[in-house]
Amino acid sequence: MAFIKHLLFLSFIYIFIGCGEKPSNTVNQPKSTKPIVKENGKLVSFPNDTVTINFFKTQRISSQNIEAEITAPARVVASVVSSEASKSQNLILFDNPDLTANYTSLLQHSINITQCKLNLERVNDLAKNGAATGKDVIEAQTQLANENAAIIEHEAKLKLAGFNPEALQNAKANSVWVICDIPENQLEKIKIGGNCNVFFTSYPNQTFIGKIEDLGDVVDNVTRMVKLRLAITNPNGKLKAGMYATANFGVSEGNFIAIPKSALVTVQSKNYVFVKISENEFERREVSTGQQVNDNIIVFSGLNQNEVVVIEGVIQLKGISFGY
């Protein structure tokens, strides 16, 4: 009986102790700490704070040859076909009737100029032998001058449309000319004589190769665009004047350091990135940038090879660094 009483007493003690203890649900997790900001926000550190450090995603950078693509809407503006009437002169079929009239007039004035030159030589020769007067010579000179003035007008209109009059007269049959507009700040990257890919809405599953023949002589005052002329062989006559297309140019920007655009922040017209300089510290760095190529920004100065930049969480670092 005494043994049973002792056992009941011990059970009561264990139950009492058990009820007095509170279950612990806490797990040892790293706690975020307040960041330390130095040098007017240039340096931001998170000592003993792996949670926050891991929040910021980074990328190691290096210089590389940057390839870019320039895409421009295009249109077939002229088709070159053989002439049945004259084997020495191909026909140019423009998509614009005004250009057809300009080119026809240019050809006619070219013929007239040749005739006027011959006539002037003849009159000068007659004048030397007393068979023509000075008035005859002046009239012949005036006719030639008028024809030269007239042809200049038509040449100018064709050049404004992106055509070279001399190239028109020497155009090869079974080909088309495509015109597209290129921003003036991209001109130095376009190589005359190079190739590009051209995609037509009429033939969505085909890629045509265009040869870059020439650049226009005028920059549009409003759009700041320059006309670029492409030549495409068209032996089966599939491509017609007036067809729409897209020209795609692959160009090399050069060997530069480039960063994802998500890494860049702009404050008061200055560009900054955040560089991870140790396990728990970031440095705000001002950079000089160039143009955007795809999803990357070219950096001319401010970063070095193999540095590690923040590409995610940049806005949070910006707020800590600048205080807003």
Side-chain angles (χ1 to χ4, degrees), residues 36-144:
I36 297 175
V37 181
K38 303 176 184 177
E39 298 184 22
N40 294 322
K42 184 178 180 181
L43 297 177
V44 178
S45 61
F46 301 88
N48 303 317
D49 189 352
T50 56
V51 173
T52 303
I53 290 296
N54 291 334
F55 170 77
F56 301 108
K57 303 302 180 183
T58 60
Q59 177 178 310
R60 189 174 297 277
I61 60 171
S62 61
S63 61
Q64 55 186 310
N65 185 47
I66 306 298
E67 296 287 340
E69 288 188 354
I70 301 174
T71 301
R75 189 179 82 257
V76 178
V77 292
S79 177
V80 186
V81 297
S82 300
S83 171
E84 296 182 0
S86 174
K87 299 300 182 181
S88 62
Q89 184 68 54
N90 293 319
L91 293 177
I92 310 294
L93 306 178
F94 295 91
D95 70 330
N96 185 331
D98 291 337
L99 291 177
T100 301
N102 290 137
Y103 182 61
T104 302
S105 297
L106 181 139
L107 292 178
Q108 184 59 58
H109 287 297
S110 295
I111 295 172
N112 293 345
I113 286 173
T114 301
Q115 292 176 342
C116 287
K117 287 180 178 179
L118 293 174
N119 183 55
L120 180 59
E121 290 178 2
R122 182 183 65 81
V123 172
N124 280 329
D125 186 60
L126 291 173
K128 289 179 182 178
N129 295 286
T133 64
K135 181 181 178 181
D136 295 329
V137 174
I138 293 174
E139 287 180 351
Q141 291 174 337
T142 301
Q143 287 178 348
L144 178 59

Side-chain angles (χ1 to χ4, degrees), residues 66-247:
I66 306 298
E67 296 287 340
E69 288 188 354
I70 301 174
T71 301
R75 189 179 82 257
V76 178
V77 292
S79 177
V80 186
V81 297
S82 300
S83 171
E84 296 182 0
S86 174
K87 299 300 182 181
S88 62
Q89 184 68 54
N90 293 319
L91 293 177
I92 310 294
L93 306 178
F94 295 91
D95 70 330
N96 185 331
D98 291 337
L99 291 177
T100 301
N102 290 137
Y103 182 61
T104 302
S105 297
L106 181 139
L107 292 178
Q108 184 59 58
H109 287 297
S110 295
I111 295 172
N112 293 345
I113 286 173
T114 301
Q115 292 176 342
C116 287
K117 287 180 178 179
L118 293 174
N119 183 55
L120 180 59
E121 290 178 2
R122 182 183 65 81
V123 172
N124 280 329
D125 186 60
L126 291 173
K128 289 179 182 178
N129 295 286
T133 64
K135 181 181 178 181
D136 295 329
V137 174
I138 293 174
E139 287 180 351
Q141 291 174 337
T142 301
Q143 287 178 348
L144 178 59
N146 289 339
E147 291 297 331
N148 282 325
I151 201 171
I152 288 174
E153 177 186 355
H154 298 295
E155 282 181 339
K157 290 180 179 179
L158 289 168
K159 284 191 173 184
L160 286 173
F163 293 101
N164 182 313
E166 183 178 353
L168 282 170
Q169 296 183 57
N170 296 320
K172 295 180 180 179
N174 302 318
S175 64
V176 295
W177 271 332
V178 174
I179 295 290
C180 60
D181 292 328
I182 299 295
E184 64 172 323
N185 61 3
Q186 302 293 328
L187 292 182
E188 64 178 355
K189 302 166 189 173
I190 302 297
K191 306 300 182 185
I192 302 300
N195 293 330
C196 67
N197 293 327
V198 184
F199 306 93
F200 288 88
T201 54
S202 302
Y203 306 103
N205 298 321
Q206 286 186 256
T207 301
F208 294 82
I209 304 301
K211 182 180 180 181
I212 304 172
E213 282 201 342
D214 201 6
L215 285 168
D217 297 315
V218 179
V219 178
D220 188 281
N221 191 43
V222 177
T223 63
R224 310 310 302 171
M225 295 287 193
V226 179
K227 293 191 180 301
L228 179 69
R229 189 178 76 245
L230 310 172
I232 302 177
T233 56
N234 187 36
N236 51 15
K238 293 175 64 174
L239 304 179
K240 313 293 184 183
M243 282 185 172
Y244 286 98
T246 299

